[in-house]
Amino acid sequence: MLQTWISVWILVVCVASASFLPKKVAEWAIQEFNRLEEERGKISWRGVDRRESSPFISGDTLRHHSQHICEDFNRCRMDPEAVKTGDVIFVKSDFFDFFAKQVTPRIRNPYIVVSHNGDLSAPDGQDDAGRIGMPRYVTSDILAEEYRKGRLLAHHGQNLWWVNRTFEERPPWAHCLPIGSENRQWNIGKNVKAYTDALKSFVINREPLPDSQRPLLLIAFYPKSRVPDRHKVLSVLRAFPPKGVEKMQNPFYNYTDLNHWEWLEAITHHKFVLAPFGHGLDTH
């Protein structure tokens, strides 16, 4: 079931390129969202809005379709012995180290893990974690052993990062997830309807540009000390060159801010979106 939902979500996320998002798919996404949103409107809640946003992918959408949750709201107080074969466990990435070391040994049946809703990488801490004030940890060896034993079926993770001790491109159990749209509790995420409006405006009601007229690469991020990969990319592109190196007129970078609506339009015009490790408009 989770695999089916992920396939549908990733298809809808293709709003990022109108040239390969058929209008019929956009129309279906709008109809499905409106149908589900009518049902979600009947849900009463207090405090933080944790309602999901299907058919659009978000951390809380993945959370909603999971049978068990390990996060700050419940302090990871899930019952490992209640996990049934094929159940999905949603783990906030900040709790991944604790989950792998303290919870997985007590799970009796084969399970699927989804990690999301956090800035930390999983299953391992990124290489420069210490420099940017994030914790260092390694749990990929635990997950590899769980997979070898037939207990871990798959790990679908946002900000996937692992220590590679083999010649494989990635572990067979590891699968990347997009960050998706913001959860409803945040400033942009609370207006999920913006995505259906964008589908109407930029996919359904507008003919796509021919490939020959579409710019190659959309770059919509800034150099940040906490996400050094982005600074490195901009240095290579000479958009923000190292000190003493002349800034060149870069065809991919226009040094302007985009608001969310402009971003949703821009991704339909470009062939590719550059999104190095980190987060920003380009990852949402």
Side-chain angles (χ1 to χ4, degrees):
M1 181 65 179
L2 180 72
Q3 295 280 11
T4 302
W5 273 105
I6 289 175
S7 298
V8 172
W9 285 325
I10 291 177
L11 179 62
V12 173
V13 166
C14 288
V15 65
S17 180
S19 67
F20 62 86
L21 181 67
K23 291 187 178 183
K24 287 186 177 180
V25 175
E27 291 168 351
W28 168 85
I30 293 172
Q31 292 172 2
E32 184 70 1
F33 173 80
N34 290 337
R35 181 185 70 81
L36 295 171
E37 194 69 353
E38 185 176 351
E39 295 299 316
R40 289 188 287 255
K42 301 174 184 178
I43 300 174
S44 59
W45 51 275
R46 289 184 178 182
V48 178
D49 187 355
R50 301 304 302 267
R51 291 176 299 165
E52 52 111 10
S53 302
S54 297
F56 301 116
I57 191 171
S58 71
D60 278 354
T61 301
L62 294 164
R63 177 183 183 271
H64 173 80
H65 290 280
S66 302
Q67 288 75 46
H68 310 273
I69 297 173
C70 170
E71 62 179 11
D72 44 3
F73 279 92
N74 66 353
R75 298 183 181 180
C76 201
R77 289 174 179 168
M78 55 166 286
D79 183 2
E81 297 182 0
V83 176
K84 300 177 182 178
T85 298
D87 275 2
V88 179
I89 306 171
F90 180 89
V91 182
K92 184 174 181 179
S93 54
D94 302 47
F95 284 79
F96 204 88
D97 184 45
F98 174 84
F99 169 80
K101 295 174 180 177
Q102 303 298 326
V103 180
T104 57
R106 295 182 286 148
I107 299 175
R108 296 178 176 178
N109 296 307
Y111 58 92
I112 297 169
V113 175
V114 170
S115 59
H116 210 284
N117 279 355
D119 290 338
L120 298 187
S121 56
D124 300 334
Q126 61 193 74
D127 293 349
D128 58 352
R131 190 190 70 78
I132 59 178
M134 290 185 174
R136 291 178 179 271
Y137 51 89
V138 175
T139 66
S140 55
D141 51 345
I142 297 175
L143 268 61
E145 183 64 13
E146 288 285 284
Y147 180 75
R148 188 190 67 81
K149 292 178 178 178
R151 289 161 44 81
L152 174 68
L153 301 177
H155 170 212
H156 301 275
Q158 168 208 5
N159 288 343
L160 208 64
W161 191 292
W162 66 93
V163 176
N164 195 347
R165 298 188 178 93
T166 71
F167 292 103
E168 297 176 351
E169 293 184 359
R170 63 173 174 83
W173 42 265
H175 309 276
C176 296
L177 283 176
I179 192 172
S181 60
E182 275 193 344
N183 292 329
R184 291 175 184 259
Q185 60 184 292
W186 306 115
N187 187 46
I188 292 177
K190 64 185 178 184
N191 181 24
V192 189
K193 189 174 178 293
Y195 297 100
T196 57
D197 290 343
L199 286 172
K200 287 179 184 177
S201 298
F202 308 135
V203 179
I204 296 174
N205 297 333
R206 178 186 294 177
E207 291 300 319
L209 289 173
D211 277 352
S212 60
Q213 297 180 22
R214 299 177 70 205
L216 177 65
L217 194 61
L218 174 61
I219 302 175
F221 56 85
Y222 289 95
K224 297 179 181 179
S225 60
R226 288 181 62 84
V227 279
D229 287 351
R230 299 187 161 222
H231 197 291
K232 292 175 185 176
V233 168
L234 292 175
S235 294
V236 170
L237 292 174
R238 299 277 294 278
F240 285 84
K243 187 176 181 180
V245 177
E246 182 182 357
K247 182 185 294 185
M248 63 181 286
Q249 289 297 318
N250 192 286
F252 305 124
Y253 200 87
N254 61 12
Y255 304 96
T256 59
D257 282 324
L258 296 178
N259 61 36
H260 190 239
W261 184 254
E262 292 168 336
W263 157 252
L264 291 174
E265 181 178 15
I267 55 181
T268 66
H269 289 322
H270 292 74
K271 294 181 181 179
F272 301 99
V273 177
L274 186 62
F277 196 78
H279 61 83
L281 272 178
D282 52 296
T283 52
H284 281 294

